[in-house]
């Protein structure tokens, strides 16, 4: 078991400091995927911040592309948002979102994708894949995102840090979904 | 993107606009600590919107999200804070977004992309290749409709089989199609010598 995991890992092209054209295409495609997961709202509630699968997209970027390419996919998405495209959940975009109370979560997405990928890489030889993926999604996609998001939220709104935890139940569901999706993708594309 | 927006902030270079934005944000966050100061800042930002001739409807569409959140936060804060503090927090929150959004409302996506590429030039020694970054960003913008197309195809085929696609099968299908698409694009890029 351990052995096959390692072999599966080594079949993946090693991450080089300079992105190859495959990396470039993966980064661009995943950035687009995260955008689509935020635009198409499967769960619409009547709030200005709708519940979408965008956070799950951030977790998946780390789980599937690995730390470096996953984080870069998020950076590219944020660059497009910064130049004015309305690609964040609920059709938000422009420089304004980087000055808003939830700006920290956007920066946290970059760190979150990186940590998710890093934790998965370090756990998957030691734990069954679903457990490694779920742990990675929780530590990176929730822990690392909140680590940046909540202090900024508190600074900008004067709110109690506990207020930042209102998204926790939803985010835990998304970590479960991201794990199930990563398992499904692995089953569909075993050589990836 | 913002089709009918007048871009009439003189012909101030984008870099200057962004620098002014940063200074204004810093003054706001560090300097506005009382209601009179907040009133002055609101006057200045409103004046800037008037000079830029931003239609009220555009301004509202951009700011309604933060106005809603600021109102919600202020209402909750009233329980623990004096109303002056709660109002100040809400006003500063809205103005911070309004200042940054003014740049977006008055500057085209193309101009901002050019500014981004120029800003990355000094990072070349750190291994950042501005042309590759620009290529990746442009490629992403063109890939979004492709991936969105995959999404509607998955939903349609689910409906054709007489049901709704669950979130997990939908996302698995979307990721698999995305990875396969990326592979084809990667090959096309390599064929065009992007790696050289």
């Amino acid at each position: 078991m351990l052995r096959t995991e390692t072999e599966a890992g080594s079949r993946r092209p090693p991450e080089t400091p300079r992105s190859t054209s495959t990396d470039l295409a993966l980064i661009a495609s995943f950035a687009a995927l995260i955008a689509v997961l935020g635009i198409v709202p499967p769960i619409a509630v009547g709030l200005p911040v709708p519940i979408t699968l965008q956070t799950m997209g951030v977790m998946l970027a780390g789980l599937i592309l690995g730390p470096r390419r996953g984080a870069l996919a998020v950076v590219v998405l944020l660059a497009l948002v910064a130049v004015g495209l309305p690609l964040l959940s609920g059709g938000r975009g422009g420089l304004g979102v980087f000055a808003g109370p939830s700006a920290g979560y956007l920066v946290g997405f970059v760190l979150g994708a990186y940590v998710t990928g890093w934790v998965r890489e370090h756990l998957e030889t030691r734990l069954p894949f679903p457990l490694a993926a779920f742990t990675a999604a929780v530590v990176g996609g929730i822990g690392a995102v909140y680590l940046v998001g909540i202090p900024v939220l508190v600074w900008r709104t004067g709110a109690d840090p506990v207020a930042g935890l209102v998204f926790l139940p939803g985010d835990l569901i998304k970590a479960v979904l991201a794990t199930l999706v990563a398992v499904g993708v692995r089953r569909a594309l075993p050589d990836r | 993107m913002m089709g009918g927006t007048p871009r009439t902030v003189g012909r101030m270079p984008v870099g200057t606009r962004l620098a002014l934005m940063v200074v204004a944000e810093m003054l706001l966050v560090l300097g506005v600590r009382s209601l009179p100061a907040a009133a002055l800042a609101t006057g200045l930002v409103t004046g800037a919107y008037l000079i830029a001739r931003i239609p009220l409807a555009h301004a509202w569409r951009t700011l309604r999200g933060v106005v809603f959140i600021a109102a919600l936060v202020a209402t909750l804060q009233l329980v623990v804070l004096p109303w002056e503090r709660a109002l100040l927090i809400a006003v500063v929150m809205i103005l911070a977004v309004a200042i940054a959004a003014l740049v977006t409302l008055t500057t085209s996506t193309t101009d901002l992309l050019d500014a981004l590429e120029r800003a990355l030039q000094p990072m070349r020694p750190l291994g950042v290749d501005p042309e590759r970054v620009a290529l990746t960003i442009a490629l992403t913008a063109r890939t979004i409709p492709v991936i969105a197309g995959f999404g509607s195809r998955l939903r349609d085929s689910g409906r054709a089989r007489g049901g709704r696609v669950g979130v997990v099968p939908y996302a698995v299908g979307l990721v698999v199609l995305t990875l396969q698409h990326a592979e084809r694009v990667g090959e096309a890029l390599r064929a065009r010598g992007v790696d050289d």
Side-chain angles (χ1 to χ4, degrees), chain B:
Chain B
M1 210 55 214
M2 313 293 283
T5 312
R7 311 187 203 289
T8 48
V9 189
R11 285 286 72 189
M12 192 193 286
V14 181
T16 315
R17 262 180 240 187
L18 290 167
L20 266 178
M21 175 196 82
V22 172
V23 171
E25 294 282 5
M26 279 165 55
L27 283 175
L28 174 74
V29 172
L30 302 174
V32 177
R33 301 194 166 271
S34 65
L35 281 184
L40 176 66
T42 307
L44 288 172
V45 172
T46 310
Y49 269 72
L50 290 175
I51 292 169
R53 286 199 239 146
I54 306 297
L56 193 60
H58 284 193
W60 173 242
R61 207 183 315 139
T62 311
L63 298 178
R64 65 182 168 194
V66 68
V67 168
F68 185 92
I69 291 170
L72 183 74
V73 168
T75 312
L76 296 172
Q77 300 285 50
L78 279 178
V79 184
V80 285
L81 291 179
W83 69 268
E84 293 93 340
R85 275 290 295 156
L87 181 63
L88 182 64
I89 288 171
V91 171
V92 170
M93 211 188 293
I94 295 168
L95 289 180
V97 174
I99 290 167
L102 185 57
V103 177
T104 302
L105 285 167
T106 56
T107 316
S108 73
T109 298
T110 321
D111 287 349
L112 282 168
L113 270 177
D114 289 346
L116 177 66
E117 202 180 332
R118 259 177 285 129
L120 290 177
Q121 293 294 344
M123 290 170 76
R124 230 177 244 285
L126 301 171
V128 177
D129 182 342
E131 285 79 40
R132 286 177 83 83
V133 174
L135 174 64
T136 312
I137 290 175
L139 189 59
T140 303
R142 282 209 255 164
T143 308
I144 292 168
V146 178
I147 310 287
F150 292 157
S152 43
R153 220 167 76 195
L154 288 168
R155 279 193 302 273
D156 289 347
S157 70
R159 261 197 294 272
R161 280 190 304 252
R164 279 187 39 217
V165 195
V167 172
V168 172
Y170 169 78
V172 170
L174 205 54
V175 172
V176 168
L177 291 173
T178 299
L179 291 172
Q180 288 168 345
H181 176 75
E183 207 147 302
R184 287 193 297 273
V185 172
E187 274 161 25
L189 289 175
R190 201 165 26 248
R192 287 175 199 186
V194 171
D195 280 343
D196 309 333

Side-chain angles (χ1 to χ4, degrees), chain A residues 146-166:
Chain A
Y146 284 21
L147 190 68
V148 190
I150 292 181
V152 174
L153 182 75
V154 169
W155 173 45
R156 303 302 298 142
T157 65
D160 194 282
V162 180
L165 297 181
V166 292

Side-chain angles (χ1 to χ4, degrees), chain A residues 46-187:
Chain A
L47 286 172
V49 184
I51 297 173
T52 70
L53 294 175
Q54 199 147 51
T55 334
M56 185 189 80
V58 172
M59 295 169 182
L60 283 173
L63 287 178
I64 290 170
L65 296 189
R68 187 172 160 277
R69 294 179 304 191
L72 285 175
V74 179
V75 169
V76 168
L77 174 72
L78 293 183
L80 279 167
V81 168
V83 298
L85 301 195
L87 300 178
L88 291 181
S89 56
R92 292 170 303 138
L95 287 166
V97 296
F98 294 95
S102 53
Y105 289 97
L106 301 181
V107 179
F109 281 172
V110 180
L111 184 69
Y114 191 93
V115 173
T116 303
W118 190 90
V119 171
R120 192 219 66 183
E121 281 188 354
H122 283 76
L123 286 185
E124 79 178 335
T125 49
R126 270 162 250 174
L127 292 176
F129 180 78
L131 200 56
F134 180 70
T135 311
V138 170
V139 173
I142 300 178
V145 172
Y146 284 21
L147 190 68
V148 190
I150 292 181
V152 174
L153 182 75
V154 169
W155 173 45
R156 303 302 298 142
T157 65
D160 194 282
V162 180
L165 297 181
V166 292
F167 300 113
L168 189 57
D171 285 342
L172 278 172
I173 293 172
K174 286 173 204 170
V176 173
L177 292 176
T179 306
L180 296 173
V181 173
V183 170
V185 171
R186 213 171 137 90
R187 203 170 292 148

